[in-house]
Amino acid sequence: MHKNLLIIGLSITLTSCASRPTTAVNTKKSTLLVTQTKKITPKKENNLIKIDNIDFYQVNIADLSKNNNTISYGSIVSANPQGYSISKEHFPSVGQNFRERFIIIHYTALDYEKSIKVLTQKNVSAHYLVNDRPDKEIYQLVDENKRSYHAGVSHWRNFDNLNDNSIGIEIVNSGFVLNSSGQRQFFPYPDYQFRKVAALIKDLATRYMIPPTNILGHSDIAPTRKQDPGPMFPWKKLYDDYGLGMWYDTSSVQNYITISNDDIVHQYNSPAFIAKVQKKLKDFGYAINITSTWDKDTKKVIQSFQYHFHPSKTDGVLDAETWAILQSLYDKYK
């Protein structure tokens, strides 16, 4: 079945996605891929090219000094009013930006065949699916310019409902099983699979100028509901080897360790300290209520933070190192 999907070389758990109807997946190869060998007629002053009567624009007009990823890139969808023509003489306006502001990483918690079936035939989707095979294929399931149903109820910093402004990447991975002690045992990601994911993220982050703070896991944007991609996803390797996403500076964490130990020993159950930790998590980006108690949701948020940034400890209990890492990351990415 996978051979009928759109294949590209480069560029959650699943039930969380918005319950809106999805359209049938187009299994035909795109017009662009089929017609790449056809003659491309350059347009003149506005940098448009035309392929089979479809306009394309690939010039970056972003103003990075304003942290604005304004650009027009790729094929242009235009109206076709009967009896009139659409002119692109004054295209493009600088007053625009991408819908694509986040990259959200998921695992499918299903095998390969079931992942394809659910993501293409059910009320859930993602823009890309990375299989668990040692090949060079990555599957595109949804147009990048359209919303896929992968994030569900979600929040990060000043953004809600991240389906509206993100690209979802699903990775074929079994997620976790419960061991005899009732603890989650997560499955690793083979290196060949990770390299696919990293190359895809690199392409997306470059084209859409997505900042490190907006490359996240599903558990980051829905910490009380989701665990994917889990603590086995190599966020540090993504940062070290590809310069993608967020990671802390070890020296900064060490600077915080002494005071963090003191906080844990002497203030751990103080309402003022708990509120301080909750506020720091909230300011960093997580959806959390400041209750001044170690409530159930706070534990889940801390656990999600640990999945991403402190994978050797993922019990949701704040320790000195987790606290030091959080403060270091906040200083680095605030």
Side-chain angles (χ1 to χ4, degrees):
M1 176 179 178
H2 68 282
K3 293 181 180 178
N4 292 328
L5 298 172
L6 174 60
I7 301 174
I8 68 169
L10 291 175
S11 286
I12 34 193
T13 302
L14 297 170
T15 56
S16 68
C17 303
S19 58
R20 296 187 55 184
T22 55
T23 58
V25 175
N26 183 0
T27 57
K28 295 181 180 180
K29 293 186 178 180
S30 71
T31 302
L32 176 57
L33 291 180
V34 172
T35 61
Q36 278 182 333
T37 58
K38 295 189 177 183
K39 183 177 180 180
I40 298 176
T41 305
K43 299 283 282 188
K44 40 186 178 181
E45 67 283 345
N46 57 3
N47 295 298
L48 288 169
I49 62 174
K50 190 178 289 289
I51 305 175
D52 276 6
N53 209 35
I54 299 173
D55 288 324
F56 288 80
Y57 187 86
Q58 296 185 318
V59 176
N60 188 342
I61 55 173
D63 186 349
L64 293 178
S65 68
K66 297 179 180 178
N67 194 30
N68 186 345
N69 64 344
T70 301
I71 190 175
S72 184
Y73 186 97
S75 62
I76 302 165
V77 179
S78 303
N80 186 24
Q82 187 174 0
Y84 298 87
S85 64
I86 297 295
S87 171
K88 297 184 179 69
E89 180 181 355
H90 305 293
F91 181 95
S93 168
V94 298
Q96 59 175 297
N97 62 19
F98 282 130
R99 180 197 69 79
E100 302 87 349
R101 303 177 72 91
F102 293 85
I103 298 171
I104 308 301
I105 304 170
H106 309 257
Y107 58 49
T108 63
L110 296 169
D111 63 27
Y112 171 70
E113 297 294 340
K114 289 180 181 178
S115 296
I116 292 176
K117 182 175 181 179
V118 170
L119 286 168
T120 61
Q121 300 179 28
K122 301 295 183 179
N123 208 28
V124 58
S125 60
H127 294 89
Y128 293 98
L129 173 64
V130 178
N131 66 29
D132 56 353
R133 302 176 177 183
D135 56 28
K136 298 296 183 180
E137 297 179 344
I138 300 171
Y139 302 98
Q140 182 167 10
L141 310 181
V142 177
D143 185 335
E144 289 178 7
N145 289 321
K146 293 185 177 181
R147 297 168 71 251
S148 70
Y149 304 153
H150 66 97
V153 178
S154 50
H155 171 88
W156 185 257
R157 296 195 171 182
N158 296 322
F159 293 87
D160 294 306
N161 300 317
L162 268 68
N163 278 340
D164 292 343
N165 46 29
S166 65
I167 292 180
I169 300 173
E170 287 278 3
I171 309 170
V172 176
N173 177 282
S174 296
F176 67 86
V177 294
L178 297 179
N179 63 18
S180 58
S181 301
Q183 297 175 320
R184 295 169 181 159
Q185 297 291 309
F186 289 85
F187 290 89
Y189 296 84
D191 190 60
Y192 60 79
Q193 186 184 51
F194 167 74
R195 289 196 301 269
K196 291 186 189 183
V197 176
L200 178 57
I201 295 173
K202 185 73 172 180
D203 173 73
L204 294 169
T206 299
R207 284 193 286 118
Y208 295 117
M209 290 178 284
I210 296 175
T213 52
N214 289 7
I215 300 175
L216 303 162
H218 198 185
S219 59
D220 292 314
I221 64 172
T224 62
R225 299 189 299 112
K226 296 298 172 183
Q227 296 82 41
D228 52 313
M232 296 299 287
F233 185 79
W235 290 104
K236 185 177 187 299
K237 184 176 179 65
L238 185 69
Y239 178 85
D240 288 343
D241 294 358
Y242 294 86
L244 298 169
M246 295 181 286
W247 200 254
Y248 57 84
D249 297 328
T250 303
S251 59
S252 177
V253 171
Q254 290 304 312
N255 290 336
Y256 274 110
I257 280 293
T258 300
I259 187 65
S260 295
N261 270 311
D262 188 68
D263 287 341
I264 298 300
V265 172
H266 298 103
Q267 300 190 62
Y268 187 79
N269 290 315
S270 162
F273 174 68
I274 299 172
K276 181 180 179 180
V277 174
Q278 291 170 332
K279 185 176 188 305
K280 191 70 71 174
L281 286 163
K282 185 180 183 71
D283 291 344
F284 184 59
Y286 289 91
I288 186 172
N289 294 319
I290 300 176
T291 63
S292 301
T293 62
W294 296 121
D295 53 39
K296 182 179 178 180
D297 283 354
T298 296
K299 181 176 180 178
K300 288 182 177 179
V301 173
I302 292 173
Q303 185 175 50
S304 293
F305 176 85
Q306 291 171 331
Y307 283 161
H308 192 143
F309 300 107
H310 192 14
S312 63
K313 176 179 168 47
T314 59
D315 57 5
V317 177
L318 188 79
D319 66 336
E321 191 169 2
T322 301
W323 180 219
I325 292 171
L326 173 57
Q327 294 175 92
S328 174
L329 285 165
Y330 176 79
D331 289 348
K332 185 175 181 178
Y333 296 107
K334 62 184 177 182

